[in-house]
Amino acid sequence: MRKRFFGLTLSPLPFALSSVGAMLFASCSSAVAQQPKSIPRISFLASGPRSASAQRVELFQQGLRALGYVDGKNIVIEYRYADGKVEPLTALATELVQLKLDVIVTDASIAIDAVKNATKTIPVVFTVALDPVQDGQVASLARPGGNLTGFSIFAPELNGKRLELLKEAFPKITRVARIARGGTSRGAQRIQDDEVVAKGLGLGLQSILVKSADDLEGAFEGANRAGVQALIFPPSVFVATNQTRFIDLTAKIRLPAIYPSTSYADAGGLMSYGPDQLDNFRRAATYVDKILKGANPADLPVEQPMKFELVINLKTAKQISLTIPPNVLARADRVIR
């Protein structure tokens, strides 16, 4: 029986409490449903300077936009640049890890190692790993096994192709110097492989090994005194780290040379043949997307190069009074004039 006090009707207590509880539950459920999802945060750690990395960043952003991601709208990207120096990479990698990012994207082997040492949990997508298995960055190409995966530019057999291109561009050469850092069994095997190709082309291959960048000037002068007629540089972290010095010292002795990737020709090297590294930055967006959607980097295979480019820098050829035959120019994917 309901009781009345001053004209008010009181409902039985259990019914009143259940009604209030239902209203509160509905209100809370609505608030949870309307709460926005957190925006993914990723980083782009470049080993080079901002200016040299601009095109790579743009291609990475293009890849993200194609997948529906827009920086500042539904994704946040933190950018860091090491300006071509090894020393800042450790501090930059540590700083990024402290931001508790969802994914870290990076480029060359020196940057990959810095990030690998800084975190074992944040997913890492690399773009231009040289030899990630040999360098201990992943367990295998098919199953990386840790928190790192991405895209490799590893293709050691291309050095034979570079020797072929040198001989085709400069048919009269008979002696080529191969300048690299020594001290590894892997390097010794590659020298033997290159010597086999050189012999088949009628070329004498002189291998000049150095211990550090301090030895480079003496190595180039020694090659010049020995009467070599062209130079070849195998892909390595050492060559990449000292790219400017290799290009400048080659120009100093005015010899034709072929380099392992397009960045060298863009920076003033005469010729380059190698994987299209820029394509990897666009492709990296696909791995970022997969990881943000729940994929485990340990299960995402490291992808191998898909595109290769021959680039010829005619400005450099003119500066050292060299002529590139029309048939070689016709084969170039890009000519810098």
Side-chain angles (χ1 to χ4, degrees), residues 179-182 208-223 225 238 242 245-246 249:
I179 301 179
R181 183 163 65 176
I208 300 176
L209 301 179
V210 299
K211 293 181 179 179
S212 70
D214 295 335
D215 302 326
L216 283 175
E217 188 162 0
F220 276 82
E221 291 174 353
R225 287 195 302 270
F238 175 70
N242 295 282
R245 292 206 68 194
F246 272 85
L249 289 170

PDB file of all heavy atoms in Angstrom, residues 179-182 208-223 225 238 242 245-246 249:
ATOM      1  N   ILE A 179      87.201  -0.847 -53.141  1.00  0.00           N
ATOM      2  CA  ILE A 179      87.582  -0.268 -51.852  1.00  0.00           C
ATOM      3  C   ILE A 179      86.478  -0.530 -50.826  1.00  0.00           C
ATOM      4  O   ILE A 179      85.311  -0.199 -51.055  1.00  0.00           O
ATOM      5  CB  ILE A 179      87.854   1.240 -51.978  1.00  0.00           C
ATOM      6  CG1 ILE A 179      88.985   1.478 -52.998  1.00  0.00           C
ATOM      7  CG2 ILE A 179      88.233   1.837 -50.620  1.00  0.00           C
ATOM      8  CD1 ILE A 179      89.317   2.946 -53.206  1.00  0.00           C
ATOM      9  N   ALA A 180      86.861  -1.132 -49.703  1.00  0.00           N
ATOM     10  CA  ALA A 180      85.885  -1.479 -48.658  1.00  0.00           C
ATOM     11  C   ALA A 180      86.612  -1.633 -47.334  1.00  0.00           C
ATOM     12  O   ALA A 180      87.841  -1.638 -47.278  1.00  0.00           O
ATOM     13  CB  ALA A 180      85.156  -2.768 -49.009  1.00  0.00           C
ATOM     14  N   ARG A 181      85.850  -1.759 -46.286  1.00  0.00           N
ATOM     15  CA  ARG A 181      86.460  -2.031 -44.981  1.00  0.00           C
ATOM     16  C   ARG A 181      86.639  -3.536 -44.831  1.00  0.00           C
ATOM     17  O   ARG A 181      85.733  -4.314 -45.135  1.00  0.00           O
ATOM     18  CB  ARG A 181      85.598  -1.488 -43.844  1.00  0.00           C
ATOM     19  CG  ARG A 181      86.251  -1.699 -42.473  1.00  0.00           C
ATOM     20  CD  ARG A 181      85.644  -0.838 -41.404  1.00  0.00           C
ATOM     21  NE  ARG A 181      84.258  -1.172 -41.145  1.00  0.00           N
ATOM     22  CZ  ARG A 181      83.537  -0.584 -40.185  1.00  0.00           C
ATOM     23  NH1 ARG A 181      84.079   0.365 -39.438  1.00  0.00           N
ATOM     24  NH2 ARG A 181      82.283  -0.929 -40.002  1.00  0.00           N
ATOM     25  N   GLY A 182      87.781  -3.949 -44.355  1.00  0.00           N
ATOM     26  CA  GLY A 182      88.072  -5.372 -44.219  1.00  0.00           C
ATOM     27  C   GLY A 182      87.813  -5.881 -42.823  1.00  0.00           C
ATOM     28  O   GLY A 182      87.356  -5.156 -41.940  1.00  0.00           O
ATOM     29  N   ILE A 208      91.183  -3.313 -52.104  1.00  0.00           N
ATOM     30  CA  ILE A 208      91.864  -2.441 -51.158  1.00  0.00           C
ATOM     31  C   ILE A 208      90.994  -2.346 -49.904  1.00  0.00           C
ATOM     32  O   ILE A 208      89.880  -1.818 -49.943  1.00  0.00           O
ATOM     33  CB  ILE A 208      92.102  -1.041 -51.752  1.00  0.00           C
ATOM     34  CG1 ILE A 208      92.965  -1.155 -53.017  1.00  0.00           C
ATOM     35  CG2 ILE A 208      92.762  -0.126 -50.733  1.00  0.00           C
ATOM     36  CD1 ILE A 208      93.170   0.163 -53.737  1.00  0.00           C
ATOM     37  N   LEU A 209      91.516  -2.867 -48.803  1.00  0.00           N
ATOM     38  CA  LEU A 209      90.751  -2.901 -47.559  1.00  0.00           C
ATOM     39  C   LEU A 209      91.300  -1.869 -46.577  1.00  0.00           C
ATOM     40  O   LEU A 209      92.509  -1.688 -46.460  1.00  0.00           O
ATOM     41  CB  LEU A 209      90.820  -4.296 -46.937  1.00  0.00           C
ATOM     42  CG  LEU A 209      90.292  -5.443 -47.815  1.00  0.00           C
ATOM     43  CD1 LEU A 209      90.437  -6.772 -47.088  1.00  0.00           C
ATOM     44  CD2 LEU A 209      88.844  -5.202 -48.207  1.00  0.00           C
ATOM     45  N   VAL A 210      90.389  -1.207 -45.888  1.00  0.00           N
ATOM     46  CA  VAL A 210      90.782  -0.206 -44.899  1.00  0.00           C
ATOM     47  C   VAL A 210      90.192  -0.577 -43.544  1.00  0.00           C
ATOM     48  O   VAL A 210      89.216  -1.329 -43.456  1.00  0.00           O
ATOM     49  CB  VAL A 210      90.297   1.205 -45.313  1.00  0.00           C
ATOM     50  CG1 VAL A 210      90.921   1.615 -46.639  1.00  0.00           C
ATOM     51  CG2 VAL A 210      88.774   1.257 -45.408  1.00  0.00           C
ATOM     52  N   LYS A 211      90.802  -0.035 -42.490  1.00  0.00           N
ATOM     53  CA  LYS A 211      90.310  -0.304 -41.138  1.00  0.00           C
ATOM     54  C   LYS A 211      89.287   0.722 -40.672  1.00  0.00           C
ATOM     55  O   LYS A 211      88.386   0.409 -39.900  1.00  0.00           O
ATOM     56  CB  LYS A 211      91.487  -0.351 -40.162  1.00  0.00           C
ATOM     57  CG  LYS A 211      92.430  -1.533 -40.385  1.00  0.00           C
ATOM     58  CD  LYS A 211      93.546  -1.514 -39.344  1.00  0.00           C
ATOM     59  CE  LYS A 211      94.484  -2.707 -39.537  1.00  0.00           C
ATOM     60  NZ  LYS A 211      95.589  -2.686 -38.529  1.00  0.00           N
ATOM     61  N   SER A 212      89.469   1.977 -41.137  1.00  0.00           N
ATOM     62  CA  SER A 212      88.571   3.041 -40.696  1.00  0.00           C
ATOM     63  C   SER A 212      88.528   4.137 -41.747  1.00  0.00           C
ATOM     64  O   SER A 212      89.278   4.110 -42.738  1.00  0.00           O
ATOM     65  CB  SER A 212      89.040   3.623 -39.365  1.00  0.00           C
ATOM     66  OG  SER A 212      90.242   4.361 -39.550  1.00  0.00           O
ATOM     67  N   ALA A 213      87.669   5.133 -41.502  1.00  0.00           N
ATOM     68  CA  ALA A 213      87.548   6.258 -42.432  1.00  0.00           C
ATOM     69  C   ALA A 213      88.856   7.042 -42.541  1.00  0.00           C
ATOM     70  O   ALA A 213      89.120   7.688 -43.562  1.00  0.00           O
ATOM     71  CB  ALA A 213      86.417   7.171 -41.990  1.00  0.00           C
ATOM     72  N   ASP A 214      89.682   6.971 -41.505  1.00  0.00           N
ATOM     73  CA  ASP A 214      90.966   7.686 -41.538  1.00  0.00           C
ATOM     74  C   ASP A 214      91.908   7.140 -42.601  1.00  0.00           C
ATOM     75  O   ASP A 214      92.848   7.823 -43.009  1.00  0.00           O
ATOM     76  CB  ASP A 214      91.644   7.597 -40.171  1.00  0.00           C
ATOM     77  CG  ASP A 214      90.865   8.323 -39.082  1.00  0.00           C
ATOM     78  OD1 ASP A 214      90.106   9.260 -39.426  1.00  0.00           O
ATOM     79  OD2 ASP A 214      90.999   7.952 -37.904  1.00  0.00           O
ATOM     80  N   ASP A 215      91.657   5.904 -43.031  1.00  0.00           N
ATOM     81  CA  ASP A 215      92.529   5.272 -44.027  1.00  0.00           C
ATOM     82  C   ASP A 215      92.078   5.523 -45.462  1.00  0.00           C
ATOM     83  O   ASP A 215      92.765   5.109 -46.406  1.00  0.00           O
ATOM     84  CB  ASP A 215      92.576   3.756 -43.788  1.00  0.00           C
ATOM     85  CG  ASP A 215      93.059   3.406 -42.392  1.00  0.00           C
ATOM     86  OD1 ASP A 215      93.914   4.139 -41.866  1.00  0.00           O
ATOM     87  OD2 ASP A 215      92.573   2.394 -41.835  1.00  0.00           O
ATOM     88  N   LEU A 216      90.937   6.166 -45.637  1.00  0.00           N
ATOM     89  CA  LEU A 216      90.363   6.265 -46.979  1.00  0.00           C
ATOM     90  C   LEU A 216      91.221   7.077 -47.943  1.00  0.00           C
ATOM     91  O   LEU A 216      91.422   6.674 -49.100  1.00  0.00           O
ATOM     92  CB  LEU A 216      88.959   6.864 -46.909  1.00  0.00           C
ATOM     93  CG  LEU A 216      87.855   5.909 -46.447  1.00  0.00           C
ATOM     94  CD1 LEU A 216      86.532   6.639 -46.293  1.00  0.00           C
ATOM     95  CD2 LEU A 216      87.713   4.758 -47.440  1.00  0.00           C
ATOM     96  N   GLU A 217      91.719   8.220 -47.508  1.00  0.00           N
ATOM     97  CA  GLU A 217      92.496   9.056 -48.425  1.00  0.00           C
ATOM     98  C   GLU A 217      93.721   8.310 -48.939  1.00  0.00           C
ATOM     99  O   GLU A 217      94.020   8.333 -50.138  1.00  0.00           O
ATOM    100  CB  GLU A 217      92.918  10.351 -47.731  1.00  0.00           C
ATOM    101  CG  GLU A 217      93.558  11.346 -48.699  1.00  0.00           C
ATOM    102  CD  GLU A 217      93.588  12.757 -48.158  1.00  0.00           C
ATOM    103  OE1 GLU A 217      93.117  12.980 -47.025  1.00  0.00           O
ATOM    104  OE2 GLU A 217      94.078  13.639 -48.887  1.00  0.00           O
ATOM    105  N   GLY A 218      94.405   7.609 -48.045  1.00  0.00           N
ATOM    106  CA  GLY A 218      95.561   6.824 -48.467  1.00  0.00           C
ATOM    107  C   GLY A 218      95.175   5.702 -49.417  1.00  0.00           C
ATOM    108  O   GLY A 218      95.917   5.384 -50.360  1.00  0.00           O
ATOM    109  N   ALA A 219      93.990   5.099 -49.198  1.00  0.00           N
ATOM    110  CA  ALA A 219      93.529   4.008 -50.066  1.00  0.00           C
ATOM    111  C   ALA A 219      93.261   4.506 -51.478  1.00  0.00           C
ATOM    112  O   ALA A 219      93.647   3.856 -52.469  1.00  0.00           O
ATOM    113  CB  ALA A 219      92.274   3.378 -49.475  1.00  0.00           C
ATOM    114  N   PHE A 220      92.629   5.662 -51.593  1.00  0.00           N
ATOM    115  CA  PHE A 220      92.339   6.222 -52.919  1.00  0.00           C
ATOM    116  C   PHE A 220      93.625   6.633 -53.628  1.00  0.00           C
ATOM    117  O   PHE A 220      93.790   6.388 -54.831  1.00  0.00           O
ATOM    118  CB  PHE A 220      91.389   7.416 -52.795  1.00  0.00           C
ATOM    119  CG  PHE A 220      89.940   7.038 -52.714  1.00  0.00           C
ATOM    120  CD1 PHE A 220      89.376   6.637 -51.514  1.00  0.00           C
ATOM    121  CD2 PHE A 220      89.137   7.065 -53.841  1.00  0.00           C
ATOM    122  CE1 PHE A 220      88.034   6.283 -51.434  1.00  0.00           C
ATOM    123  CE2 PHE A 220      87.799   6.714 -53.784  1.00  0.00           C
ATOM    124  CZ  PHE A 220      87.241   6.318 -52.565  1.00  0.00           C
ATOM    125  N   GLU A 221      94.536   7.242 -52.917  1.00  0.00           N
ATOM    126  CA  GLU A 221      95.808   7.635 -53.522  1.00  0.00           C
ATOM    127  C   GLU A 221      96.597   6.407 -53.956  1.00  0.00           C
ATOM    128  O   GLU A 221      97.226   6.399 -55.026  1.00  0.00           O
ATOM    129  CB  GLU A 221      96.618   8.467 -52.524  1.00  0.00           C
ATOM    130  CG  GLU A 221      96.022   9.844 -52.252  1.00  0.00           C
ATOM    131  CD  GLU A 221      96.764  10.588 -51.155  1.00  0.00           C
ATOM    132  OE1 GLU A 221      97.656   9.969 -50.519  1.00  0.00           O
ATOM    133  OE2 GLU A 221      96.452  11.772 -50.926  1.00  0.00           O
ATOM    134  N   GLY A 222      96.541   5.347 -53.151  1.00  0.00           N
ATOM    135  CA  GLY A 222      97.222   4.110 -53.509  1.00  0.00           C
ATOM    136  C   GLY A 222      96.641   3.479 -54.763  1.00  0.00           C
ATOM    137  O   GLY A 222      97.371   2.974 -55.624  1.00  0.00           O
ATOM    138  N   ALA A 223      95.319   3.513 -54.868  1.00  0.00           N
ATOM    139  CA  ALA A 223      94.668   2.972 -56.062  1.00  0.00           C
ATOM    140  C   ALA A 223      95.086   3.753 -57.301  1.00  0.00           C
ATOM    141  O   ALA A 223      95.352   3.169 -58.366  1.00  0.00           O
ATOM    142  CB  ALA A 223      93.152   3.022 -55.889  1.00  0.00           C
ATOM    143  N   ARG A 225      97.891   5.494 -57.739  1.00  0.00           N
ATOM    144  CA  ARG A 225      99.299   5.211 -58.051  1.00  0.00           C
ATOM    145  C   ARG A 225      99.461   3.839 -58.695  1.00  0.00           C
ATOM    146  O   ARG A 225     100.353   3.625 -59.515  1.00  0.00           O
ATOM    147  CB  ARG A 225     100.143   5.283 -56.773  1.00  0.00           C
ATOM    148  CG  ARG A 225     100.369   6.700 -56.250  1.00  0.00           C
ATOM    149  CD  ARG A 225     101.487   6.708 -55.222  1.00  0.00           C
ATOM    150  NE  ARG A 225     101.205   5.824 -54.098  1.00  0.00           N
ATOM    151  CZ  ARG A 225     100.570   6.194 -52.994  1.00  0.00           C
ATOM    152  NH1 ARG A 225     100.166   7.463 -52.851  1.00  0.00           N
ATOM    153  NH2 ARG A 225     100.356   5.335 -52.019  1.00  0.00           N
ATOM    154  N   PHE A 238      79.616   0.833 -43.652  1.00  0.00           N
ATOM    155  CA  PHE A 238      80.804   1.691 -43.668  1.00  0.00           C
ATOM    156  C   PHE A 238      80.778   2.657 -44.855  1.00  0.00           C
ATOM    157  O   PHE A 238      81.007   3.854 -44.710  1.00  0.00           O
ATOM    158  CB  PHE A 238      82.062   0.822 -43.726  1.00  0.00           C
ATOM    159  CG  PHE A 238      83.338   1.596 -43.869  1.00  0.00           C
ATOM    160  CD1 PHE A 238      83.819   2.366 -42.818  1.00  0.00           C
ATOM    161  CD2 PHE A 238      84.055   1.563 -45.060  1.00  0.00           C
ATOM    162  CE1 PHE A 238      85.003   3.087 -42.947  1.00  0.00           C
ATOM    163  CE2 PHE A 238      85.231   2.282 -45.197  1.00  0.00           C
ATOM    164  CZ  PHE A 238      85.711   3.049 -44.133  1.00  0.00           C
ATOM    165  N   ASN A 242      80.067   6.854 -44.764  1.00  0.00           N
ATOM    166  CA  ASN A 242      81.097   7.756 -45.284  1.00  0.00           C
ATOM    167  C   ASN A 242      80.847   8.119 -46.754  1.00  0.00           C
ATOM    168  O   ASN A 242      81.782   8.339 -47.514  1.00  0.00           O
ATOM    169  CB  ASN A 242      82.478   7.106 -45.133  1.00  0.00           C
ATOM    170  CG  ASN A 242      82.867   6.907 -43.690  1.00  0.00           C
ATOM    171  OD1 ASN A 242      83.270   7.840 -43.008  1.00  0.00           O
ATOM    172  ND2 ASN A 242      82.730   5.681 -43.198  1.00  0.00           N
ATOM    173  N   ARG A 245      82.602  11.252 -48.275  1.00  0.00           N
ATOM    174  CA  ARG A 245      84.055  11.099 -48.439  1.00  0.00           C
ATOM    175  C   ARG A 245      84.377  10.228 -49.640  1.00  0.00           C
ATOM    176  O   ARG A 245      85.324  10.501 -50.383  1.00  0.00           O
ATOM    177  CB  ARG A 245      84.672  10.500 -47.174  1.00  0.00           C
ATOM    178  CG  ARG A 245      84.632  11.431 -45.974  1.00  0.00           C
ATOM    179  CD  ARG A 245      85.734  11.119 -45.003  1.00  0.00           C
ATOM    180  NE  ARG A 245      87.046  11.449 -45.563  1.00  0.00           N
ATOM    181  CZ  ARG A 245      88.197  11.040 -45.037  1.00  0.00           C
ATOM    182  NH1 ARG A 245      88.193  10.289 -43.955  1.00  0.00           N
ATOM    183  NH2 ARG A 245      89.337  11.365 -45.589  1.00  0.00           N
ATOM    184  N   PHE A 246      83.630   9.159 -49.848  1.00  0.00           N
ATOM    185  CA  PHE A 246      83.864   8.294 -51.007  1.00  0.00           C
ATOM    186  C   PHE A 246      83.682   9.087 -52.302  1.00  0.00           C
ATOM    187  O   PHE A 246      84.485   8.966 -53.232  1.00  0.00           O
ATOM    188  CB  PHE A 246      82.922   7.089 -50.975  1.00  0.00           C
ATOM    189  CG  PHE A 246      83.464   5.917 -50.206  1.00  0.00           C
ATOM    190  CD1 PHE A 246      83.307   5.829 -48.836  1.00  0.00           C
ATOM    191  CD2 PHE A 246      84.147   4.907 -50.855  1.00  0.00           C
ATOM    192  CE1 PHE A 246      83.813   4.755 -48.112  1.00  0.00           C
ATOM    193  CE2 PHE A 246      84.656   3.823 -50.158  1.00  0.00           C
ATOM    194  CZ  PHE A 246      84.496   3.742 -48.774  1.00  0.00           C
ATOM    195  N   LEU A 249      86.578  11.844 -52.637  1.00  0.00           N
ATOM    196  CA  LEU A 249      87.901  11.278 -52.931  1.00  0.00           C
ATOM    197  C   LEU A 249      87.951  10.689 -54.337  1.00  0.00           C
ATOM    198  O   LEU A 249      88.987  10.725 -55.001  1.00  0.00           O
ATOM    199  CB  LEU A 249      88.251  10.220 -51.884  1.00  0.00           C
ATOM    200  CG  LEU A 249      88.568  10.776 -50.493  1.00  0.00           C
ATOM    201  CD1 LEU A 249      88.666   9.652 -49.465  1.00  0.00           C
ATOM    202  CD2 LEU A 249      89.870  11.578 -50.524  1.00  0.00           C
TER     203      LEU A 249
END
